[in-house]
Amino acid sequence: MWYPTTVALSMVVAFAAAAIESNPARPVLFGSQKTAPPRGPPSDSIVDNENYTEWRVFDQLQSHSNAHSVDMFPMRYVSNSKFYRPGGPIFLFVGGPWELEQHFVEQGHFVDLAEENNAFVVANEMRYYGESLPVPNASRGNLRLLHIVQACTDIARLIVHIRYEVLRDPNARVIVAGVGFSGSLAHWTRLRYPHLIHGVWASGAMLQANENYREFAEEVGEYIRRYGGNDCYGALWRGFRTAENLIDAGQSQTVDTLFKVCTPINGTNPLDVEAFFYGIFNEVVTNTLRPNLRQNIRNMCDTLTHEDHDSSLTGLASWITGQFPEAECLAMDLESIVQLFQETDWQHDVHKSGERQWFYQRCTELGWPLTADSMNQPFGVRISANLFQQLCQRVFDGWLTSDVFRSLVRQTNTLYGGNRPEMRFVFYTHGSLDPWRFTGVTTVLYNNNYVNVIRGAIHGEDLASISDLDWADLRRSKEEVGETIRRWLERRV
């Protein structure tokens, strides 16, 4: 079984350049919503696959938009031929903003469906992530080829390569799948190359680029109220607003002490204040929106509402500092964010984790600033889209002004149709406990489109193999995905 993992949600903040062993300042990570298929528990089937799984390298064009360039880079992919029979289809799990791992082609519901349909299973590594690096470093100029168009064309060329050079079957049918942003890429690749792809399963695909994603905080707040209770929601609300009031009253040193910040909050700098509150919000999200969501929320709420705390603020500070028990202080200041994300060496942690690359993608095409620009959430009023836009501008050398950012986000929706694309032969699945679902397709728009919003599921939870632990809605959705893919493969074209 796969257990979906949320890798540090939303924007960016500091996790300090040095490791905790050499730097006692334990930083708070401001990451991004990047859900990769995590490794499941060991099983006999993994051992059985050893003779069939193969790591490969494909010479990929560095630029698909420059006809005068023939520069190549090695793009990694991994394949599993265990289930393949001549004449069978290709099942491609699309790479996203993470490092490629072998279990992508060995575990999960998509692999199970490949076995049922005698498919050749493949997973690719997205350009600029893992070891598929098209340029010598991650300078701003070198990141210009990190783009939806380039990534989709990478996938199209890989499909052609597998058909003609690996399987020697130019008529092999192709089913692609992905989760989160890789689900988006799977969708967009069929939009651009419908003749190559016969069907798409997009789990939790985020399609509507957004300049201010306030719905995210509203949804998370609702989950906290639903599973943690009104007392917990109220404690969180009061904790954030008490800290805001103290900073406004010139008493930020009280907040500094409670939260053990490494660098005192500059109360006269609105962006520094926003960075601090975003750090708290990010920790709440990161520690709740993952497997066992209900219990995660209850665990947090037990600390927030414990009778030992004399106020909601001390309860919130106790919970945050408790997430980093070995840290002497927490790096939650604006300059730490900027310095970290200006690193350009591929060997730096910010690139190994994919955070700078993913931040660039969001700054230049996708957006999704998570904000508190709504009164229907408990995270205060100091997290705005301006923080995200200003970070984009400072990290990437000033050219990404707010006007440029908004223009690029709108362009993405114009090119790809946002969450109302004219697409067919796509099965969209979302969890009802996934605050990113509002960026995806959640209603059937056209014939030969399918949508399931799975009650009680989190982001990407339907990637796991069918199990006795599945509740009725989750199992039914997995079975419908399988039945639909079988029909696509049998369809006359």
Side-chain angles (χ1 to χ4, degrees), residues 27-102:
V28 176
L29 170 63
F30 270 36
S32 320
Q33 175 71 18
K34 301 188 303 178
T35 303
R39 187 184 304 278
S43 68
D44 292 340
S45 63
I46 299 300
V47 177
D48 292 343
N49 284 338
E50 288 183 357
N51 295 326
Y52 301 95
T53 302
E54 183 177 355
W55 283 85
R56 303 167 183 250
V57 172
F58 173 55
D59 287 335
Q60 188 63 267
L61 280 169
Q62 187 186 68
S63 173
H64 302 292
S65 55
N66 183 357
H68 300 288
S69 173
V70 293
D71 293 337
M72 301 283 189
F73 74 96
M75 187 182 81
R76 295 196 305 168
Y77 70 97
V78 61
S79 65
N80 181 357
S81 62
K82 180 179 180 180
F83 317 119
Y84 179 69
R85 300 293 181 271
I90 299 165
F91 274 36
L92 170 61
F93 193 91
V94 173
W98 50 70
E99 184 173 4
L100 179 63
E101 295 187 33
Q102 185 167 313

Side-chain angles (χ1 to χ4, degrees), residues 2 15 34 56 67-68 89 133 162 170-171 173 194 197 199 207 226 235 297-298 307 336 358 366 415 425 479-480 487:
W2 284 349
F15 59 90
K34 301 188 303 178
R56 303 167 183 250
H68 300 288
L133 306 175
I162 293 169
N171 298 313
R173 298 201 170 196
I197 297 172
L207 302 174
R226 186 184 309 169
I297 290 175
R298 295 185 188 109
E307 60 184 13
S336 294
W358 181 235
L366 305 169
L415 292 175
F425 304 107
E479 290 173 346
E480 289 176 358
R487 288 199 302 271

Side-chain angles (χ1 to χ4, degrees), residues 151-362:
C152 289
T153 309
D154 286 347
I155 296 165
R157 291 191 74 244
L158 178 61
I159 290 171
V160 173
H161 167 74
I162 293 169
R163 274 178 163 177
Y164 284 85
E165 303 299 329
V166 179
L167 300 184
R168 310 288 183 180
D169 181 0
N171 298 313
R173 298 201 170 196
V174 179
I175 302 295
V176 299
V179 60
F181 183 69
S182 85
S184 312
L185 284 180
H187 163 98
W188 288 325
T189 303
R190 172 161 166 76
L191 185 66
R192 295 182 64 87
Y193 302 98
H195 61 291
L196 293 178
I197 297 172
H198 296 79
V200 177
W201 173 25
S203 175
M206 302 128 71
L207 302 174
Q208 178 78 24
N210 194 299
E211 301 169 32
N212 184 338
Y213 196 28
R214 60 178 62 86
E215 294 88 350
F216 191 98
E218 293 176 341
E219 276 291 293
V220 175
E222 178 56 32
Y223 303 157
I224 292 170
R225 189 196 299 274
R226 186 184 309 169
Y227 300 115
N230 289 328
D231 288 347
C232 181
Y233 185 98
L236 202 57
W237 192 98
R238 290 189 298 274
F240 268 85
R241 281 156 177 80
T242 302
E244 290 174 345
N245 292 338
L246 285 170
I247 293 172
D248 288 346
Q251 300 182 45
S252 58
Q253 66 275 12
T254 301
V255 180
D256 295 341
T257 301
L258 285 172
F259 287 86
K260 299 181 181 179
V261 298
C262 302
T263 303
I265 301 166
N266 182 356
T268 63
N269 183 345
L271 291 178
D272 207 48
V273 175
E274 287 197 36
F276 168 76
F277 284 110
Y278 190 91
I280 302 174
F281 168 67
N282 186 70
E283 282 304 308
V284 172
V285 169
T286 301
N287 282 277
T288 55
L289 294 190
R290 51 191 177 90
N292 302 314
L293 176 143
R294 297 165 181 81
Q295 189 59 49
N296 298 334
I297 290 175
R298 295 185 188 109
N299 291 342
M300 177 186 71
C301 290
D302 285 346
T303 300
L304 293 178
T305 60
H306 198 280
E307 60 184 13
D308 288 349
H309 302 307
D310 57 13
S311 70
S312 296
L313 179 62
T314 57
L316 180 59
S318 175
W319 182 80
I320 287 289
T321 55
Q323 305 310 302
F324 311 101
E326 298 180 7
E328 293 183 8
C329 63
L330 303 183
M332 302 172 71
D333 59 291
L334 182 69
E335 284 307 311
S336 294
I337 310 171
V338 174
Q339 291 174 15
L340 175 69
F341 279 80
Q342 287 179 334
E343 293 285 347
T344 62
D345 188 342
W346 286 125
Q347 298 307 309
H348 194 280
D349 286 345
V350 76
H351 296 116
K352 290 181 177 180
S353 66
E355 294 301 335
R356 175 174 161 89
Q357 303 96 299
W358 181 235
F359 187 49
Y360 178 84
Q361 289 185 260
R362 295 180 65 196

